[in-house]
Amino acid sequence: MRILLYYLCGVFAAAQLGKLAALSPPIARELQLGLAAMAALTSLLEVCGATLGGIAGRWLPRVGLRSSLSAAALALALGAAAAAFAQDLVTLALARLVESLGYLAIVVAAPVLIARESEGRRQAAAMALWSTFVPVGMAVGAWAYAQAAGAVGWRSAQALSVAGGLLLWVSLRAVSEDEAATAPTPRPSSGGPGATGALLWALVAAFGAYAIAEVGLLALLPSLLTQGGMPLGTAGGWTAAAALANVPASAIGAWLLKRRGALSPAIAVGMAVSLGLSGLLFLAALRDGGQASLQALLAIGVNAASGVFPSLVFALLPLAARTPERLALASGRLTQFGASGALLGPPLMGAVVEHWGWSAAGGLALALSALAIPLALFAWRRLAQSSEEKPEACTIGPHCARSAASRRV
């Protein structure tokens, strides 16, 4: 149950991305804000993650991960309440920054708590489930807040965030086991920080390149489809479907992990195929003069192919961290690169489209996917080699012994 609770915290945090996308039109009309201002407000949710992710990974364990998660839920509720009474852009921006702090704490702390709760056979599946929190949360948020705003207005719709944050806070406080009981016993890291430093940086850098292309596609897809003659409402539905295509893809990643083990060569192949196939589909989906309906289907194909990669990355993260005390730091680094990619992706891809057209944006997405492949394979290979040399060093992941044994057979 705790794993589900932590996952719901992530979904709730990601719903705040979908929230502002849904509420942007009525907010812009009432407060007379332009499209650029609303886009900036939407992206502000990722600012703290992009700038403070690494710091959060170091400090949140000292504060307490579950305590941080509780405070984060309250921060999201408080930010929404402030936004409901905002009368200008500055107040909205400050409220969004409060939400950004809550979002950062959740996306750093929750996967660490999930990994700790699921040590053993369930860990790969649990981490693969966590990798779906953004598309699920964005889809739920976009739908729920759009419905609420249509019924009671955008200010009253913020009550969904207030109620959700308070409910999660109460649920987290009601968890009977205190954090001290779940905290791992400190143990020396085998090989020191440098033992996994290079592979961890390579893994998170690959994830950052993936995020730039992925978020850039989802942000620009409605514009691409409407330029092709598709109605805006229909384009929005296709965009939601494309985002949700990550969810079944993560199930494929979880199946692969359970079947083969995290350090099996099949995982390296899976990452390379996921990134390579999605890169080629990017090139087909983002092109000038395409048919809108076909491009929408190709966008779903992009996410269905690329979605396998993040599920494998999250499953490898505890292994790359090596020790429980370093897992929060690893989660913070992954958050920082992912959030930076989410911030950079839409404006970068948009600028490429404006200057050189949609086909150039497809080429950029393919290049980013191609860049991520050697980084991911380097991280996997270093992890596999270190596990072979020091199998006892793998203190978190459930698949180390199993994978090493499978290679010896």
Side-chain angles (χ1 to χ4, degrees):
M1 287 301 295
R2 283 191 291 266
I3 291 175
L4 179 60
L5 177 60
Y6 301 146
Y7 175 71
L8 290 177
C9 288
V11 170
F12 176 66
Q16 309 314 302
L17 284 168
K19 174 183 75 173
L20 210 59
L23 300 184
S24 288
I27 292 175
R29 283 195 300 268
E30 181 176 333
L31 301 184
Q32 298 183 340
L33 300 176
L35 182 61
M38 293 310 305
L41 283 173
T42 302
S43 66
L44 271 179
L45 194 70
E46 298 278 9
V47 164
C48 287
T51 57
L52 303 174
I55 296 174
R58 292 182 181 277
W59 283 96
L60 289 185
R62 304 180 187 184
V63 175
L65 293 175
R66 190 175 293 124
S67 299
S68 300
L69 210 58
S70 299
L74 284 180
L76 291 174
L78 178 62
F85 294 97
Q87 299 296 327
D88 53 44
L89 178 60
V90 173
T91 306
L92 276 175
L94 291 175
R96 196 64 168 167
L97 285 174
V98 173
E99 291 181 326
S100 180
L101 286 170
Y103 182 88
L104 167 63
I106 286 176
V107 298
V108 172
V112 179
L113 291 169
I114 288 174
R116 290 181 181 177
E117 290 291 340
S118 59
E119 286 185 15
R121 289 186 175 183
R122 296 185 304 161
Q123 189 182 78
M127 296 302 284
L129 172 67
W130 172 254
S131 72
T132 68
F133 82 95
V134 169
V136 171
M138 286 187 67
V140 169
W143 178 84
Y145 289 97
Q147 298 300 313
V152 296
W154 72 268
R155 293 185 185 275
S156 297
Q158 299 281 358
L160 290 177
S161 292
V162 177
L166 291 176
L167 180 61
L168 286 173
W169 178 77
V170 171
S171 300
L172 289 164
R173 299 289 293 180
V175 174
S176 57
E177 187 177 358
D178 64 16
E179 183 148 5
T182 62
T185 302
R187 65 190 75 172
S189 172
S190 59
T196 59
L199 77 87
L200 183 57
W201 282 114
L203 189 66
V204 299
F207 186 75
Y210 154 84
I212 292 174
E214 173 73 12
V215 179
L217 169 69
L218 292 176
L220 297 181
L221 186 58
S223 298
L224 173 66
L225 298 181
T226 53
Q227 285 186 18
M230 185 177 289
L232 180 58
T234 305
W238 280 109
T239 302
L244 288 174
N246 264 318
V247 178
S250 72
I252 296 175
W255 174 84
L256 189 61
L257 288 159
K258 182 178 180 181
R259 182 94 175 184
R260 297 291 186 177
L263 299 182
S264 164
I267 301 304
V269 173
M271 290 193 295
V273 170
S274 174
L275 291 168
L277 179 57
S278 63
L280 294 174
L281 289 172
F282 271 119
L283 198 61
L286 294 173
R287 62 187 181 87
D288 299 292
Q291 184 180 355
S293 57
L294 177 58
Q295 288 175 303
L297 289 172
L298 287 169
I300 292 177
V302 168
N303 278 23
S306 67
V308 176
F309 174 69
S311 69
L312 299 179
V313 169
F314 277 103
L316 289 176
L317 192 65
L319 310 184
R322 284 293 183 188
T323 61
E325 60 269 22
R326 295 190 68 221
L327 182 53
L329 174 61
S331 180
R333 287 181 181 172
L334 189 67
T335 296
Q336 189 155 13
F337 274 75
S340 297
L343 277 176
L344 182 60
L348 175 61
M349 299 282 278
V352 170
V353 171
E354 286 183 353
H355 286 86
W356 297 288
W358 289 103
S359 296
L364 174 60
L366 173 61
L368 289 166
S369 299
L371 173 64
I373 291 174
L375 291 171
L377 293 181
F378 170 81
W380 177 87
R381 185 57 185 161
R382 286 288 295 268
L383 185 56
Q385 287 176 338
S386 61
S387 179
E388 288 175 346
E389 294 167 359
K390 297 181 179 180
E392 75 283 356
C394 203
T395 60
I396 305 176
H399 302 290
C400 295
R402 176 181 169 189
S403 298
S406 67
R407 284 192 298 275
R408 289 194 296 268
V409 170

